[in-house]
Amino acid sequence: MQAIFDDYVAAAGLTTDLVNTAPGVWHGEDQLPDDAAVAAFVGAYGLTGEDDLAGVHELRDRLRAVLDLRDPEAIERSASVLVARGLGSVGLEPDERGRLQWIARPGADASLVDRLALVGGIGVLGALRALGPERFRDCASDTCSGVFIDTSRPGRRRYCMPDLCGNRANVAAYRARQKASGGIS
Ligand SMILES: [Zn+2]
């Protein structure tokens, strides 16, 4: 499956999801604690590869650092280094409307971590060029240290994990309203 290398929105989604598995976002509890967890995570994106837990964790830290940069030139520099790490070839292929599009492919000997670096670079560069640096943001939840790349069309995403952080914030706001109005607690 090559789709993840051809779709910066999907690649940015993987990047956001990977960064937010870090223990720092989960009060110390790593969401990728072992090889099986990594295999399940990358498998959901159609990727497989050899076990390299330390390498995945290290890349995750680097991607987090890139998402924290917020300066477009610095983001571009760092993302280009990530792309170079996994890139095997660049070519031109027609898209579904017959227009030629640049495509990036990982090297035949690129490790899983190298390919993840390429995906991260594609996601970050694509979002930066197509949407702008203001799409790299902190989670709006007070209790969350996650970050995300907002690739939504309106660009109003607020949470790193909308199902989780968004709900948590809604529940907190609801409780606060109940308390303020003297309702049931
Ligand atoms: Zn969050």
Side-chain angles (χ1 to χ4, degrees), residues 12-47:
L14 185 156
T15 305
T16 291
D17 290 346
L18 177 59
V19 161
N20 292 318
T21 62
V25 183
W26 290 86
H27 306 285
E29 204 179 312
D30 197 328
Q31 302 301 298
L32 296 178
D34 50 37
D35 293 331
V38 170
F41 178 88
V42 300
Y45 294 94
L47 296 169

Coordinates of all heavy atoms in Angstrom, one line a residue, residues 12-47:
A12 N -0.2 13.4 7.6 CA -0.2 14.3 8.8 C -1.0 13.6 9.9 O -0.7 13.8 11.1 CB -0.8 15.6 8.3
G13 N -2.1 12.9 9.5 CA -2.9 12.2 10.5 C -2.1 11.1 11.3 O -2.1 11.1 12.5
L14 N -1.3 10.4 10.5 CA -0.4 9.4 11.2 C 0.6 10.1 12.1 O 0.8 9.7 13.3 CB 0.4 8.6 10.1 CG 1.3 7.4 10.7 CD1 1.5 6.4 9.6 CD2 2.6 7.9 11.2
T15 N 1.1 11.2 11.6 CA 2.1 12.0 12.4 C 1.5 12.5 13.7 O 2.1 12.3 14.8 CB 2.6 13.2 11.6 OG1 3.2 12.7 10.4 CG2 3.7 13.9 12.3
T16 N 0.3 13.0 13.6 CA -0.4 13.5 14.8 C -0.6 12.3 15.8 O -0.4 12.4 17.0 CB -1.7 14.2 14.5 OG1 -1.4 15.4 13.8 CG2 -2.6 14.5 15.7
D17 N -1.2 11.2 15.2 CA -1.5 10.1 16.1 C -0.2 9.5 16.7 O -0.2 9.2 17.9 CB -2.2 9.0 15.3 CG -3.6 9.4 14.8 OD1 -4.1 10.4 15.4 OD2 -4.1 8.7 13.9
L18 N 0.9 9.4 16.0 CA 2.1 8.9 16.5 C 2.6 9.7 17.7 O 3.0 9.3 18.7 CB 3.2 8.7 15.4 CG 4.5 8.2 15.8 CD1 4.4 6.8 16.5 CD2 5.5 8.2 14.7
V19 N 2.7 11.0 17.4 CA 3.2 12.0 18.4 C 2.4 11.9 19.7 O 3.0 12.0 20.8 CB 3.2 13.4 17.9 CG1 3.3 14.5 18.9 CG2 4.4 13.6 16.9
N20 N 1.1 11.7 19.6 CA 0.2 11.7 20.8 C 0.1 10.3 21.4 O -0.7 10.1 22.3 CB -1.1 12.2 20.4 CG -1.1 13.7 20.1 OD1 -0.4 14.5 20.8 ND2 -1.7 14.1 19.0
T21 N 1.0 9.3 21.0 CA 1.1 8.1 21.8 C 2.1 8.2 22.9 O 2.3 7.3 23.7 CB 1.5 6.9 20.9 OG1 2.8 7.2 20.3 CG2 0.4 6.7 19.8
A22 N 2.8 9.3 22.9 CA 4.0 9.5 23.8 C 3.5 9.5 25.3 O 2.4 10.0 25.6 CB 4.7 10.8 23.5
P23 N 4.4 9.0 26.2 CA 4.0 9.0 27.6 C 3.7 10.4 28.2 O 2.9 10.5 29.1 CB 5.2 8.3 28.3 CG 6.3 8.4 27.3 CD 5.7 8.4 25.9
G24 N 4.4 11.4 27.6 CA 4.2 12.8 28.1 C 2.7 13.2 27.9 O 2.2 14.1 28.7
V25 N 2.0 12.7 26.9 CA 0.7 13.1 26.7 C -0.3 12.2 27.5 O -1.5 12.6 27.7 CB 0.4 12.9 25.1 CG1 -1.1 13.4 24.8 CG2 1.4 13.7 24.3
W26 N 0.2 11.1 28.0 CA -0.7 10.2 28.8 C -0.2 10.0 30.2 O -0.3 8.9 30.8 CB -0.6 8.8 28.1 CG -1.3 8.8 26.8 CD1 -0.8 9.2 25.5 CD2 -2.7 8.5 26.5 NE1 -1.8 9.1 24.6 CE2 -2.9 8.7 25.1 CE3 -3.8 8.1 27.3 CZ2 -4.2 8.4 24.5 CZ3 -5.0 7.8 26.7 CH2 -5.2 8.0 25.4
H27 N 0.2 11.1 30.8 CA 0.6 11.1 32.2 C 1.5 9.9 32.6 O 1.4 9.2 33.5 CB -0.6 11.1 33.1 CG -1.6 12.2 32.8 ND1 -1.4 13.5 33.2 CD2 -2.7 12.2 32.1 CE1 -2.3 14.2 32.8 NE2 -3.2 13.5 32.1
G28 N 2.5 9.7 31.7 CA 3.6 8.7 31.9 C 3.3 7.4 31.3 O 4.2 6.5 31.3
E29 N 2.1 7.2 30.8 CA 1.8 5.8 30.2 C 2.0 5.8 28.7 O 1.2 6.3 28.0 CB 0.4 5.5 30.6 CG 0.2 4.0 30.6 CD -1.3 3.7 31.0 OE1 -1.8 4.2 32.0 OE2 -1.9 2.9 30.3
D30 N 3.1 5.2 28.3 CA 3.4 5.1 26.8 C 2.3 4.2 26.2 O 2.1 3.1 26.6 CB 4.8 4.5 26.6 CG 5.3 4.7 25.2 OD1 4.5 4.8 24.3 OD2 6.6 4.9 25.1
Q31 N 1.8 4.8 25.1 CA 0.7 4.0 24.3 C 1.4 3.0 23.3 O 0.7 2.3 22.7 CB -0.2 4.9 23.6 CG -0.9 5.9 24.6 CD -1.7 5.1 25.6 OE1 -2.7 4.4 25.3 NE2 -1.4 5.3 26.9
L32 N 2.7 3.2 23.1 CA 3.4 2.2 22.3 C 4.5 1.6 23.1 O 5.7 1.8 22.9 CB 4.0 2.9 21.1 CG 3.1 3.5 20.0 CD1 3.8 4.2 18.9 CD2 2.1 2.5 19.5
P33 N 4.1 0.7 24.1 CA 5.1 0.2 25.1 C 6.0 -0.9 24.6 O 7.0 -1.2 25.1 CB 4.2 -0.2 26.2 CG 2.9 -0.6 25.6 CD 2.8 0.3 24.4
D34 N 5.5 -1.6 23.5 CA 6.3 -2.8 23.0 C 6.1 -2.9 21.5 O 5.4 -2.2 20.9 CB 5.8 -4.0 23.8 CG 4.3 -4.1 23.8 OD1 3.6 -3.8 22.7 OD2 3.7 -4.6 24.8
D35 N 6.8 -3.9 21.0 CA 6.8 -4.2 19.5 C 5.4 -4.5 19.0 O 5.0 -4.0 17.9 CB 7.7 -5.3 19.2 CG 9.2 -5.0 19.4 OD1 9.5 -3.8 19.3 OD2 10.0 -5.9 19.8
A36 N 4.6 -5.2 19.8 CA 3.2 -5.5 19.4 C 2.4 -4.3 19.2 O 1.6 -4.2 18.2 CB 2.6 -6.5 20.4
A37 N 2.5 -3.3 20.1 CA 1.8 -2.1 20.0 C 2.2 -1.3 18.8 O 1.3 -0.7 18.1 CB 2.0 -1.3 21.3
V38 N 3.5 -1.3 18.5 CA 4.0 -0.6 17.3 C 3.4 -1.2 16.1 O 2.9 -0.5 15.2 CB 5.5 -0.5 17.3 CG1 6.0 0.0 15.9 CG2 6.1 0.3 18.4
A39 N 3.5 -2.6 16.0 CA 3.0 -3.3 14.8 C 1.5 -3.0 14.6 O 1.1 -2.8 13.5 CB 3.2 -4.8 15.0
A40 N 0.7 -2.9 15.7 CA -0.7 -2.7 15.6 C -0.9 -1.2 15.1 O -1.8 -1.0 14.2 CB -1.4 -2.9 16.9
F41 N -0.1 -0.3 15.6 CA -0.3 1.1 15.2 C 0.1 1.3 13.7 O -0.7 1.9 13.0 CB 0.7 2.0 16.1 CG 0.6 3.4 15.7 CD1 -0.3 4.3 16.3 CD2 1.5 4.0 14.8 CE1 -0.4 5.6 15.9 CE2 1.4 5.3 14.4 CZ 0.5 6.1 15.0
V42 N 1.2 0.8 13.3 CA 1.6 1.1 11.9 C 0.8 0.2 11.0 O 0.5 0.6 9.8 CB 3.1 0.8 11.7 CG1 4.0 1.8 12.5 CG2 3.5 -0.6 11.8
G43 N 0.3 -1.0 11.4 CA -0.5 -1.8 10.6 C -1.8 -1.2 10.2 O -2.3 -1.4 9.1
A44 N -2.3 -0.3 11.1 CA -3.6 0.4 10.8 C -3.4 1.4 9.6 O -4.4 1.8 9.0 CB -4.0 1.2 12.1
Y45 N -2.1 1.7 9.3 CA -1.8 2.6 8.2 C -1.2 1.8 7.0 O -0.7 2.4 6.1 CB -0.9 3.7 8.6 CG -1.5 4.6 9.6 CD1 -1.3 4.5 11.0 CD2 -2.2 5.7 9.2 CE1 -1.9 5.3 11.9 CE2 -2.8 6.6 10.1 CZ -2.6 6.4 11.4 OH -3.2 7.2 12.3
G46 N -1.3 0.5 7.1 CA -0.8 -0.3 6.0 C 0.7 -0.5 6.0 O 1.2 -0.9 4.9
L47 N 1.4 -0.2 7.1 CA 2.8 -0.3 7.1 C 3.2 -1.5 8.0 O 2.5 -1.9 9.0 CB 3.4 0.9 7.8 CG 3.3 2.2 7.0 CD1 3.7 3.4 7.8 CD2 4.1 2.2 5.7

